[in-house]
Amino acid sequence: MSGKFESWLYDDTPIKHKIVRIIFFLTSFSWTFNPHQDYTYSTGGPLLEKIVSRMIPMSIVAIYALTCEHRHLLKRLFRPGLWPLLWYVFFAVLCGVNSVQPALSAWKGAEIIIALMFFTVSCRDSISTRKELVAFIRLYEILLWWTVALAIVQPTLGIRRSPSMLPWLQGYLPVINPNALGFISVFTITRLLFLPARFKPVRLLFVAGTLICAQSRTSYAVTLVALLIYTIEGLRVRQFGRVIVTFMCALVALGLAMGWHEMIMQVVMRGQTSAEMSSLSGRTDYWDYALRYASWTGGGLATGSRSLIFESDTAFIKGSVNMHNSFIEAVMGGGYIGAVPFIALLGINVLRQGVHALTRPSAFESLFFVCAIAFVARGMTSVVLAIFSADFNNMMLLWYWLYTKDIGSDEKIIHLERPRPIAYEKTLIEQAQEASK
């Protein structure tokens, strides 16, 4: 491992920061189901569960950000680059005052602000931002190992059954939903591809296996994009070894797929018909229905879409309502006034990173570009970019990377004297020679 990468991959942050990071990481996965009656009676599910799994951990993160040695950097939270996001949070919480659950809307806004506080004190410059990304992806890989271990011990823990190419696994892996598992695998594969790592081939094979078991079609497509960018970068830096290995792996995968086409198509389609596939499992019906009720002022952060359960007895009869789309969910929560600036900022930053990956080629530029493509693709079929979540954290890491990579470390900058013209230097030499005579 070269010295250039060692400083980026070695996590030398204080132990208390590592503990808070783990708490923050686990909290972003603490989801709870909210049935129809919970919103009808404004209870929002078991209160004790929400306090233990979300409120107490996020309060610990907030206290850490306010008391750590880098707390003076919290003023960066209000820099112009984050104004659209802050406006979205403010307006979506304000609109939630008259929503089904105003307290839930306010807490969701507080979660996003606390997440911003954590990244502000953690991502101080380009090096700390790199370390934070590597640390989060390392936690993703640990979560993958833990998930597979649980699946082997008790496969019935999967949240729903589905055909699988593995005889001992007739359902999704447990703990987290299949789409989330797929995108976690994508982030982990990308990190292993672009950065040095110990036992890289074995770890790549393991993560690729979890990706296949996740049966997430969108993450499959993003993985192909990651491999394409990885190959292009290899050609650019003339590392033809990685290009040859990539093509060899592709040939092996095609060879293994021979004779299994029907099973592969069954896994990809998940038993759905062509009509269901074209409607994205019925999500386009949700989107069409929601846009009819979209307005300039939304219904509140994380509660705007829930208000639709009182408007229809068919489309949202199950009650566990969300738009399965981060951008429509943002519009339902903050309205066009609150959501459009936020969505525009998201798109602009992804395009900026794409330009940087093309004009400033490096391993981390490509890594962040693949991450940007991944969370945008995830946001098209999930609400993860409209509320606090693991994918929201990935988006924040990209934004802080764009902001901090031109900022040096906290050390004092040494100002060198302005170089003198060559003619002036010659004049001084001639004067010195004459004086010596």
Side-chain angles (χ1 to χ4, degrees):
M1 185 181 297
S2 63
K4 181 175 67 174
F5 284 107
E6 285 181 356
S7 62
W8 296 347
L9 298 177
Y10 179 65
D11 187 9
D12 57 354
T13 55
I15 184 65
K16 61 180 180 181
H17 180 85
K18 294 178 181 178
I19 294 174
V20 173
R21 180 197 291 146
I22 293 174
I23 294 173
F24 180 75
F25 173 80
L26 294 177
T27 303
S28 64
F29 286 99
S30 59
W31 296 94
T32 55
F33 291 99
N34 296 284
H36 181 282
Q37 58 268 24
D38 287 339
Y39 285 96
T40 304
Y41 299 105
S42 299
T43 59
L47 180 60
L48 180 60
E49 181 181 359
K50 285 179 169 54
I51 292 175
V52 173
S53 65
R54 301 193 74 92
M55 294 183 179
I56 293 179
M58 290 301 286
S59 298
I60 294 173
V61 176
I63 293 172
Y64 170 77
L66 292 171
T67 58
C68 70
E69 59 180 335
H70 302 292
R71 59 184 179 276
H72 63 280
L73 298 177
L74 288 175
K75 59 184 179 183
R76 293 182 180 178
L77 187 67
F78 302 100
R79 60 179 178 269
L82 288 178
W83 285 354
L85 175 59
L86 296 176
W87 172 245
Y88 162 67
V89 174
F90 170 78
F91 204 86
V93 172
L94 182 64
C95 294
V97 172
N98 295 322
S99 68
V100 179
Q101 283 188 300
L104 176 61
S105 181
W107 173 248
K108 291 295 183 181
E111 286 181 333
I112 293 179
I113 297 300
I114 293 173
L116 292 178
M117 292 169 58
F118 176 80
F119 286 119
T120 300
V121 298
S122 302
C123 304
R124 302 173 297 279
D125 50 34
S126 60
I127 295 178
S128 60
T129 306
R130 292 186 184 108
K131 290 182 177 180
E132 211 62 36
L133 175 70
V134 172
F136 269 88
I137 297 182
R138 185 178 290 115
L139 291 174
Y140 287 152
E141 186 174 355
I142 294 174
L143 182 61
L144 290 178
W145 285 90
W146 178 253
T147 301
V148 171
L150 287 179
I152 294 174
V153 173
Q154 191 174 0
T156 57
L157 288 176
I159 62 174
R160 70 179 72 165
R161 298 182 63 80
S162 178
S164 172
M165 289 178 282
L166 301 178
W168 49 268
L169 180 63
Q170 294 300 319
Y172 295 122
L173 298 180
V175 180
I176 47 182
N177 69 68
N179 287 322
L181 184 71
F183 279 94
I184 290 173
S185 301
V186 171
F187 284 110
T188 307
I189 287 176
T190 305
R191 175 256 187 275
L192 292 173
L193 284 176
F194 286 99
L195 299 181
R198 295 180 178 178
F199 312 109
K200 179 183 289 190
V202 176
R203 292 163 66 181
L204 276 172
L205 288 174
F206 166 77
V207 180
T210 62
L211 177 64
I212 294 174
C213 293
Q215 303 177 20
S216 175
R217 294 161 293 197
T218 311
S219 59
Y220 292 164
V222 176
T223 302
L224 293 178
V225 174
L227 291 173
L228 178 61
I229 295 175
Y230 178 73
T231 304
I232 293 175
E233 185 186 335
L235 292 172
R236 179 184 296 158
V237 298
R238 297 186 178 182
Q239 293 183 357
F240 300 109
R242 70 164 65 175
V243 178
I244 294 174
V245 171
T246 302
F247 278 107
M248 289 297 295
C249 291
L251 290 176
V252 172
L254 290 175
L256 294 175
M258 298 298 293
W260 294 85
H261 299 90
E262 294 184 1
M263 178 62 72
I264 292 174
M265 289 303 300
Q266 185 181 6
V267 171
V268 171
M269 295 186 67
R270 297 185 195 165
Q272 294 178 323
T273 63
S274 300
E276 291 172 332
M277 289 284 288
S278 61
S279 66
L280 297 177
S281 305
R283 289 172 181 172
T284 54
D285 296 333
Y286 274 35
W287 300 345
D288 179 68
Y289 184 85
L291 289 175
R292 299 178 192 175
Y293 290 89
S295 61
W296 287 100
T297 57
L301 185 61
T303 60
S305 60
R306 268 63 174 181
S307 63
L308 295 179
I309 62 179
F310 302 103
E311 304 292 342
S312 173
D313 294 330
T314 55
F316 304 104
I317 189 63
K318 293 182 180 180
S320 297
V321 181
N322 70 70
M323 293 299 100
H324 298 284
N325 185 296
S326 295
F327 315 109
I328 298 178
E329 183 74 20
V331 171
M332 296 303 297
Y336 292 115
I337 294 178
V340 169
F342 165 59
I343 296 173
L345 177 63
L346 195 157
I348 291 172
N349 282 336
V350 171
L351 291 176
R352 285 178 60 195
Q353 185 56 36
V355 172
H356 291 176
L358 293 174
T359 58
R360 308 176 185 179
S362 70
F364 267 96
E365 295 289 2
S366 299
L367 174 58
F368 272 101
F369 186 42
V370 174
C371 291
I373 295 173
F375 70 67
V376 169
R378 175 93 165 111
M380 289 296 297
T381 55
S382 180
V383 299
V384 291
L385 302 184
I387 56 177
F388 169 65
S389 65
D391 296 270
F392 180 89
N393 297 338
N394 298 328
M395 179 179 67
M396 288 295 97
L397 281 168
L398 171 65
W399 289 10
Y400 278 76
W401 166 252
L402 289 169
Y403 175 74
T404 59
K405 63 183 173 182
D406 294 327
I407 299 178
S409 64
D410 295 333
E411 297 179 0
K412 184 178 180 180
I413 299 176
I414 301 176
H415 297 280
L416 301 177
E417 294 183 0
R418 183 178 179 180
R420 297 173 177 176
I422 297 177
Y424 180 71
E425 295 287 349
K426 290 182 178 179
T427 303
L428 292 178
I429 293 174
E430 291 174 356
Q431 291 177 358
Q433 289 176 350
E434 292 179 357
S436 63
K437 293 179 180 179

